[in-house]
Amino acid sequence: MTTKIKTLLLLLTLAMPMTAQEKLFTLEDLNFGGTNYRNLLPRNLWLTWWGDQLMYQDAEEGGTIDNKGRRKPLFTLDGINQLMTATTDKEKRVIHSAMNATYPYADKPLVLLGNGKFQILYNFKQQTIEWVQTTEMATTQEWSPASRALAYKQADQQLYVRQDEQEVKLTTDGSRQIVYGEAVHRNEFGIDKGLFWSPDGQRLAFYRMDQSMVADYPQVDIFPREASYEPDKYPMAGMTSHTVTIGVYDLNSHRTVYLKTPQSKDYQAVEGSSFDNLPVYFTNIAFSPDGKTIYLQELNRAQNDCRLVSYDATTGDRIAELYRETSDKYVEPLHPIQFLPWDDTKFILQSQRDGYNHLYLYNIKGECIRQLTKGEWVVQEVMGFNAKQKTVIFAANKYHPLHRWLYSVATDNGKITELVTADGVHYGQLSPSGNRLVDKYSAPTKPRNIDVISLHPSPVTHHLLEAADPWTGYQQPLFECGSIKAADGKTDLYYRMVKPADFDPDKKYPTVVYVYGGPHAHNVNASWHWASRSWETYMAQKGYIVFILDNRGSENRGRDFEQATFHQLGQVEMLDQMAGVDYLRTLPYVDMQRLGVHGWSFGGFMTISLMLNYPDVFKVGVAGGPVIDWKWYEVMYGERYMGTPQTNPDGYAKTSLIGKAGQLKGRLQIITGYNDATVVPQHCLSFIDACVKAGTQPDFFAYPGEEHNMRGHASVHLHERITRYFDDYLK
């Protein structure tokens, strides 16, 4: 597609003619906690794979689905539950949904189902229950299809392994201080779990986190008559953090060894591979295909020195350092290595060392064979491999920064093949062999499409679903997308604008800038309605224009784009947001005397930063869960972007909002979850104290019992509160 056509697509305005019969939205329709929200989502299909056979998953049954969408049921929950009741000593055991059914064996007619208290393997050809395993006592858990062993924690904080119904207790010192089998480093570095089975299911790697030395943050549960103390371990930037080690349990020998990492008591420096900066973060755990070797990416506390290291899974000994990446800012390892299914001596490494996240082919000696992808675009996900074609299947924004397409790349020569051709944002679900691919995607005017793509010998697409617009019959706003230059005068930034359905260019409208602005997130892409949040529709319906701009520092634009904010969070971001404000000034229908700003979390920090640094520009702001001073934020995230208060005192001073409290002129409402464990309440309360001392008057609202984001129907209440604040002071 030509650049000219791409530009035309970006500037597309999505407009629907208004009719007198159109209904108005409520927050019960638009907000995810609303009573009618799910009825207004685009139609979807819940699909999974049994080998190369596509399977559908409904609440009450599961079965096969072909390329034309024709279904053949293979089991029903009613039938399985009747069988369970009859075969479990009259104990009533009921599975409630088939939506999470999986088919763990490509060559066996078995489906895995469970209800949190037990799980079963049901043979849908024989219509028999082949295997049952109790999971009732498990909190955190991880199951191995190969050995059918379950690793889990119980309420006593100890780690267990159960194979069939035989239970082995792996630990005895688990507690709030010593945490086993959980995600560590506060879920940074791509970590989302703490239990890892080897491919053959014979070894279990697990995290052990000692946080006894970490200070408690004094959270309080206010709901009992006598409020109770519920402290949370919260290591703040520059302060003492936890210590992590990695254990490996052998299912056959019943023996646990700990990897001799630089934080373990058995660590011995390897000659010629000493660490100048002792690593404290251990991430991206991966087993070799034979389960005998474990690979880690080890990162120093400054997060500018990362090494891929191999360990012997049987002894815990350090084998070799295979790869090292350093930076004058930071290195951020987010993905474990992935071995080629057809060659267990080679693996895929992801790195943004050339400025963009790309794929590199390495061998187990640590030699780079070739860079597989290259260019000013980002590999966003590796979905798997096609063994017949010897290709890697991945998603990337190669086509355009706002579009996410699916591709394959040949490992022998780096040839890239487009697997999709439709504009939009595509998410793929690859079959185990890599021969077939489910493609779920949306585009600015397409709520949801689902295709099935056969990859071998060449891509052939079959259309399963084209969802109708679920908002038909409602008064819909106008959605626009375009680009402006950043404050540096050369970098393209993309925006979304949402206008009232009856927009009149001769009128002037109150306008709200919605902002996030931080790393690992973006607001604008080429999905349905340009990725508009439904609250924006609610505001447009009330007569507002909403403007959203992805500034430098946000994701999917490459290393330098994101690292432009290094050691000075909020500063470059504000300059770019003000470039957006300068663009709004050129629009005659934007009332610059009625300009507001709203954001949550990092966006809350940005909202208050803009209100205080540009007090004559923004009349009203609503800041949710805002960071006020980065010295109160957690170690891993905070130090990556800001260093420590000791090493970057000027940066911390410049970005802190405490000393600027006296600059507040407009109306500012601050909202927080009373039990926020991400941006702890110390931020909001300290800022309010600073405002009291400075004589400025922010408004404040807290949600008791809520954390960083409001859950359930509380979210409806939250967004009505945000809206009313703008209605009261901006309209």
Side-chain angles (χ1 to χ4, degrees):
M1 181 170 284
T2 67
T3 301
K4 181 179 179 181
I5 295 176
K6 289 182 185 179
T7 302
L8 288 174
L9 281 170
L10 285 174
L11 295 177
L12 177 65
T13 299
L14 309 183
M16 298 294 291
M18 290 180 60
T19 67
Q21 290 77 33
E22 286 179 331
K23 296 183 288 185
L24 296 179
F25 290 104
T26 71
L27 283 175
E28 299 291 354
D29 301 319
L30 293 171
N31 188 270
F32 68 86
T35 55
N36 197 43
Y37 172 73
R38 297 195 177 278
N39 294 325
L40 292 180
L41 294 177
R43 187 187 167 207
N44 200 358
L45 297 175
W46 282 264
L47 304 168
T48 189
W49 291 105
W50 172 34
D52 281 334
Q53 173 62 59
L54 188 61
M55 311 295 284
Y56 73 89
Q57 299 166 286
D58 283 348
E60 299 296 329
E61 67 178 34
T64 63
I65 182 169
D66 66 16
N67 290 337
K68 295 183 178 180
R70 294 174 297 201
R71 301 180 178 208
K72 179 182 178 182
L74 292 179
F75 67 88
T76 67
L77 289 193
D78 184 60
I80 292 176
N81 285 331
Q82 288 184 28
L83 191 60
M84 285 294 297
T85 302
T87 59
T88 56
D89 299 326
K90 298 182 180 180
E91 178 187 356
K92 189 175 182 181
R93 309 177 83 175
V94 178
I95 297 170
H96 303 290
S97 175
M99 301 297 282
N100 295 318
T102 59
Y103 300 81
Y105 311 107
D107 58 345
K108 297 177 182 179
L110 299 175
V111 57
L112 181 71
L113 295 157
N115 68 355
K117 296 183 178 181
F118 69 94
Q119 58 184 5
I120 67 167
L121 284 170
Y122 177 72
N123 189 315
F124 47 80
K125 286 192 175 180
Q126 301 295 327
Q127 297 184 7
T128 57
I129 295 170
E130 183 165 303
W131 175 84
V132 180
Q133 185 176 60
T134 301
T135 63
E136 187 167 6
M137 300 301 293
T139 52
T140 301
Q141 59 182 280
E142 188 77 12
W143 184 71
S144 166
S147 61
R148 298 186 185 177
L150 179 74
Y152 59 97
K153 284 179 64 178
Q154 289 190 5
D156 63 1
Q157 302 298 316
Q158 307 308 330
L159 190 59
Y160 297 79
V161 166
R162 175 178 288 143
Q163 193 170 24
D164 296 324
E165 291 302 316
Q166 185 176 8
E167 182 179 83
V168 177
K169 186 175 182 179
L170 305 190
T171 66
T172 58
D173 60 342
S175 65
R176 192 175 75 86
Q177 312 284 353
I178 307 295
V179 180
Y180 286 99
E182 301 280 359
V184 296
H185 308 321
R186 296 190 71 86
N187 298 71
E188 296 294 335
F189 316 110
I191 298 172
D192 60 8
K193 65 178 185 177
L195 299 167
F196 309 85
W197 282 107
S198 62
D200 62 4
Q202 297 305 306
R203 291 189 177 91
L204 171 74
F206 58 89
Y207 280 125
R208 179 187 188 271
M209 178 170 64
D210 181 354
Q211 55 181 3
S212 59
M213 68 291 289
V214 177
D216 282 329
Y217 187 85
Q219 298 282 5
V220 176
D221 179 2
I222 60 113
F223 292 104
R225 183 178 181 185
E226 293 184 354
S228 59
Y229 178 54
E230 292 187 350
D232 176 44
K233 292 292 185 181
Y234 196 93
M236 292 183 179
M239 299 182 72
T240 303
S241 189
H242 51 251
T243 298
V244 169
T245 49
I246 298 166
V248 185
Y249 173 71
D250 190 300
L251 209 61
N252 295 309
S253 68
H254 302 293
R255 179 171 171 260
T256 297
V257 300
Y258 279 85
L259 302 187
K260 297 173 185 177
T261 64
Q263 283 220 358
S264 73
K265 63 182 180 180
D266 298 320
Y267 174 67
Q268 295 178 343
V270 177
E271 185 178 354
S273 188
S274 62
F275 229 118
D276 296 331
N277 300 307
L278 187 69
V280 296
Y281 302 127
F282 302 97
T283 184
N284 299 321
I285 294 174
F287 276 95
S288 60
D290 63 8
K292 295 180 180 179
T293 307
I294 291 179
Y295 298 84
L296 301 179
Q297 288 182 349
E298 303 180 349
L299 191 65
N300 65 330
R301 179 155 176 173
Q303 301 185 42
N304 57 15
D305 192 340
C306 178
R307 309 188 187 204
L308 174 65
V309 181
S310 59
Y311 289 89
D312 187 319
T314 61
T315 65
D317 291 338
R318 192 175 190 271
I319 300 173
E321 179 184 302
L322 304 178
Y323 172 77
R324 182 182 183 186
E325 185 174 335
T326 61
S327 170
D328 60 352
K329 293 182 179 175
Y330 57 85
V331 181
E332 191 175 10
L334 294 171
H335 310 281
I337 64 171
Q338 295 170 276
F339 279 87
L340 305 185
W342 58 89
D343 186 346
D344 59 10
T345 68
K346 296 182 179 67
F347 58 83
I348 301 298
L349 174 78
Q350 296 190 49
S351 170
Q352 57 177 358
R353 68 193 193 201
D354 75 347
Y356 296 85
N357 191 54
H358 282 299
L359 308 181
Y360 297 80
L361 182 64
Y362 271 78
N363 63 27
I364 55 176
K365 295 179 181 180
E367 300 167 335
C368 183
I369 299 170
R370 66 180 56 88
Q371 182 174 352
L372 293 178
T373 62
K374 188 177 181 63
E376 294 182 359
W377 47 274
V378 175
V379 172
Q380 295 164 291
E381 181 187 3
V382 173
M383 288 164 286
F385 301 88
N386 183 294
K388 289 183 179 179
Q389 298 177 329
K390 293 183 170 55
T391 56
V392 185
I393 314 302
F394 67 97
N397 60 1
K398 181 177 184 292
Y399 167 69
H400 187 277
L402 299 189
H403 293 249
R404 174 186 163 115
W405 280 24
L406 309 180
Y407 302 87
S408 67
V409 58
T411 55
D412 58 353
N413 59 18
K415 179 183 177 182
I416 293 177
T417 301
E418 291 179 353
L419 303 180
V420 301
T421 57
D423 285 340
V425 175
H426 295 252
Y427 290 90
Q429 186 179 356
L430 193 66
S431 69
S433 70
N435 291 328
R436 303 187 72 202
L437 176 69
V438 170
D439 172 25
K440 289 189 177 184
Y441 68 98
S442 72
T445 59
K446 296 178 180 178
R448 180 178 287 118
N449 280 21
I450 302 178
D451 294 341
V452 179
I453 305 171
S454 299
L455 302 183
H456 186 77
S458 59
V460 178
T461 299
H462 309 275
H463 302 292
L464 272 188
L465 172 69
E466 184 172 353
D469 186 348
W471 289 10
T472 298
Y474 285 84
Q475 184 186 105
Q476 300 189 34
L478 312 181
F479 301 92
E480 297 179 5
C481 181
S483 66
I484 64 169
K485 292 299 180 183
D488 64 3
K490 59 184 180 181
T491 305
D492 288 328
L493 303 178
Y494 297 97
Y495 70 81
R496 175 177 67 248
M497 185 178 289
V498 184
K499 298 176 179 177
D502 59 352
F503 172 73
D504 181 347
D506 293 326
K507 292 184 178 180
K508 283 190 174 291
Y509 293 87
T511 299
V512 176
V513 174
Y514 175 78
V515 60
Y516 180 76
H520 289 267
H522 67 280
N523 281 315
V524 186
N525 63 36
S527 59
W528 191 37
H529 295 162
W530 300 106
S532 179
R533 300 167 65 250
S534 52
W535 176 76
E536 297 161 20
T537 291
Y538 190 59
M539 291 293 284
Q541 183 177 273
K542 285 179 161 286
Y544 296 88
I545 288 174
V546 186
F547 179 78
I548 303 93
L549 178 72
D550 282 332
N551 52 245
R552 283 173 293 167
S554 55
E555 68 178 355
N556 292 339
R557 298 291 304 279
R559 179 194 62 204
D560 294 344
F561 186 93
E562 186 167 314
Q563 292 189 352
T565 67
F566 183 66
H567 275 197
Q568 52 170 348
L569 288 178
Q571 310 311 297
V572 170
E573 300 95 317
M574 279 194 289
L575 293 176
D576 284 353
Q577 289 297 326
M578 293 309 295
V581 170
D582 289 341
Y583 169 68
L584 293 177
R585 293 183 201 278
T586 69
L587 305 177
Y589 47 81
V590 171
D591 187 346
M592 293 302 296
Q593 301 306 309
R594 292 186 293 167
L595 188 64
V597 59
H598 166 51
W600 199 272
S601 193
F602 198 102
F605 164 67
M606 287 294 298
T607 294
I608 301 179
S609 296
L610 288 165
M611 289 284 292
L612 300 182
N613 285 278
Y614 302 93
D616 296 320
V617 175
F618 297 96
K619 183 179 179 182
V620 179
V622 179
V627 174
I628 297 297
D629 192 311
W630 289 100
K631 71 173 177 286
W632 294 317
Y633 203 69
E634 55 93 352
V635 165
M636 280 62 65
Y637 182 105
E639 293 184 2
R640 179 186 313 134
Y641 304 114
M642 288 293 293
T644 68
Q646 297 89 337
T647 60
N648 182 27
D650 292 341
Y652 275 83
K654 181 166 61 173
T655 60
S656 175
L657 303 179
I658 294 295
K660 300 181 178 71
Q663 297 171 204
L664 179 64
K665 285 187 177 180
R667 299 296 308 225
L668 172 63
Q669 177 172 228
I670 300 170
I671 305 175
T672 190
Y674 183 81
N675 297 97
D676 192 336
T678 303
V679 182
V680 292
Q682 187 168 355
H683 289 268
C684 293
L685 298 176
S686 296
F687 182 72
I688 291 169
D689 176 67
C691 289
V692 170
K693 292 172 180 174
T696 51
Q697 294 284 345
D699 295 312
F700 179 64
F701 191 89
Y703 281 85
E706 293 293 333
E707 299 179 358
H708 192 51
N709 298 103
M710 305 311 111
R711 297 161 293 183
H713 204 263
S715 180
V716 176
H717 185 280
L718 166 68
H719 285 86
E720 181 60 34
R721 182 164 194 86
I722 295 168
T723 304
R724 288 189 183 189
Y725 201 77
F726 286 115
D727 281 349
D728 289 343
Y729 299 112
L730 192 64
K731 258 194 167 178

